[in-house]
């Protein structure tokens, strides 16, 4: 409703099919005002000849512009002078009548001038609003194109690493290249989901759902079930999305690769918000941690990256034994981290 009112105001003064229509409608307003003034004759004290005609001047200027407003001023002034200013039904002139007509003309002129300048300001505002809308659309398009190009470039680099892997004989080097290519491809896919030029953030539950589904699909496993639980309405800013996504993707990938390598299972991703402090849990029902496992001491580069990214978010990343077997990857973030 408010937007409809804004659009109507932006179209003022109205452009009618023929200019004469504005003057005809203005004359009709004047006749209506004359009728109202005559009906109120018995209820008004002596005087007030212009009381019903100022609204006509304002309305005509507001709807049709300056010239119909001037026409309304003249026509209403003549009617008031002839019908309501003593001696009535004649165009008598004396100092009092002259002063009253001058005062009426001055007030009407001020009304018309104010409406005219307000409408000019409103037109300029509408032009600037349209220009801002066009700039916002261009910004959105450029942002989308940038995100698309960054994602494509990362995918190309990942493909080049994969091709290069085929020419490397060293098994550990091949594994490192394969791991790097996978992470670059993941970041490229994440970049496509970060399209948020307004920087309003995106729903974290939907983000985690898409991300975990993407990781499971990339693993080629169809026997893994992932569930995501997160508080409704919690948003994720783009500067936090990439490190958080890498931590989640690494944890889910580890659960699939090490916890559930040869059988199906389930992975539960749970995000809890406690007075602004966030606790993310990624639990699987797999084989569990190896005896004597210590985070950061093993050869897994992915876990070291996850630990470093958690520190970047001013949080803490850890792996624990699940209450009923399996592994729980835990990421604790302080209040305001997202």
């Amino acid at each position: 409703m408010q937007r409809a009112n804004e659009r109507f105001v932006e179209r003022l003064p109205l452009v009618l099919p023929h200019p004469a229509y504005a003057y005809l409608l203005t004359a009709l307003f004047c006749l209506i005002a004359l009728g109202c003034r005559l009906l109120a004759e018995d209820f008004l004290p002596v005087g007030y000849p212009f009381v019903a005609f100022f609204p006509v001047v304002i309305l005509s200027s507001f709807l049709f512009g300056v010239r119909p407003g001037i026409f309304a001023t003249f026509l209403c002034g003549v009617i008031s002078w002839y019908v309501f200013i003593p001696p009535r039904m004649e165009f008598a002139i004396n100092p009092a009548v002259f002063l009253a007509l001058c005062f009426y003309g001055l007030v009407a002129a001020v009304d018309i001038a104010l409406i005219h300048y307000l409408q000019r300001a409103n037109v300029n505002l509408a032009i600037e609003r349209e220009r801002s809308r066009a700039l916002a659309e261009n910004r959105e398009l450029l942002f989308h194109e940038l995100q698309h190009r960054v994602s494509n470039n990362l995918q190309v680099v990942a493909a080049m690493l994969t091709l290069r892997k085929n020419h490397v004989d060293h098994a550990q080097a091949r594994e490192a290249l394969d791991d790097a290519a996978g992470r670059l491809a993941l970041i490229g896919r994440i970049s496509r989901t970060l399209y948020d030029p307004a920087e309003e953030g995106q729903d974290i539950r939907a983000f985690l759902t898409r991300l975990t589904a993407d990781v499971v699909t990339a693993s080629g496993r169809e026997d893994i079930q992932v569930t995501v639980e997160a508080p409704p309405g919690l948003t994720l800013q783009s500067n936090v999305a990439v490190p958080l996504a890498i931590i989640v993707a690494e944890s889910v990938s580890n659960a699939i690769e090490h916890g559930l390598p040869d059988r199906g299972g389930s992975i539960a991703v749970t995000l809890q918000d406690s007075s602004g402090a966030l606790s993310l849990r990624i639990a699987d029902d797999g084989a569990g941690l190896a005896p004597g496992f210590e985070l950061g001491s093993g050869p897994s580069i992915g876990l070291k990256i996850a630990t470093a990214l958690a520190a970047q978010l001013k949080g803490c990343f850890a792996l624990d034994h699940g209450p009923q077997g399996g592994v729980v990857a835990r990421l604790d973030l302080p209040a305001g981290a997202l």
Side-chain angles (χ1 to χ4, degrees), residues 187-255:
I187 295 175
R189 291 192 295 271
I190 293 170
S191 296
R192 294 182 185 272
T193 68
L194 298 183
Y195 173 49
D196 185 20
E199 298 181 357
E200 296 178 351
Q202 52 184 307
D203 184 75
I204 194 170
R205 177 183 175 85
F207 178 80
L208 292 175
T209 301
R210 291 194 303 267
L211 174 64
T212 53
D214 197 9
V215 174
V216 173
T217 301
S219 69
R221 298 286 295 275
E222 299 181 355
D223 55 353
I224 303 296
Q225 181 181 4
V226 179
T227 59
V228 176
E229 294 183 7
L234 189 62
T235 57
L236 177 68
Q237 300 301 321
S238 58
N239 62 321
V240 181
V242 171
L244 180 66
I246 293 176
I247 294 172
V248 173
E250 184 64 34
S251 301
V252 174
S253 296
N254 281 338

Side-chain angles (χ1 to χ4, degrees), residues 106-129:
L106 177 63
V107 174
V110 171
D111 291 339
I112 294 173
L114 287 176
I115 293 172
H116 173 65
Y117 285 111
L118 286 175
Q119 287 185 338
R120 286 186 58 184
N122 185 63
V123 170
N124 292 333
L125 180 61
I127 293 173
E128 290 299 325
R129 186 183 295 114

Side-chain angles (χ1 to χ4, degrees), residues 83-163:
V83 178
F84 299 107
I85 296 179
R88 294 188 173 188
M89 302 306 173
E90 60 179 271
F91 293 108
I93 188 69
N94 56 56
V97 172
F98 179 76
L99 182 61
L101 291 175
C102 288
F103 180 77
Y104 162 77
L106 177 63
V107 174
V110 171
D111 291 339
I112 294 173
L114 287 176
I115 293 172
H116 173 65
Y117 285 111
L118 286 175
Q119 287 185 338
R120 286 186 58 184
N122 185 63
V123 170
N124 292 333
L125 180 61
I127 293 173
E128 290 299 325
R129 186 183 295 114
E130 182 63 23
R131 186 178 301 168
S132 299
R133 185 193 62 79
L135 290 174
E137 288 183 355
N138 290 335
R139 175 174 173 263
E140 184 176 347
L141 180 62
L142 291 174
F143 190 94
H144 180 69
E145 181 64 21
L146 176 62
Q147 291 290 90
H148 183 70
R149 289 183 180 273
V150 169
S151 177
N152 283 349
N153 290 339
L154 290 172
Q155 297 284 358
V156 168
V157 174
M160 291 175 63
L161 289 176
T162 301
L163 291 175

Side-chain angles (χ1 to χ4, degrees), residues 48-85:
Y48 300 97
F50 310 110
V51 68
F53 297 101
F54 281 122
V56 175
V57 175
I58 295 173
L59 183 62
S60 300
S61 303
F62 185 74
L63 293 178
F64 308 125
V66 172
R67 291 181 180 179
I70 295 174
F71 174 71
T73 301
F74 174 78
L75 184 57
C76 291
V78 170
I79 294 174
S80 300
W81 184 13
Y82 184 75
V83 178
F84 299 107
I85 296 179

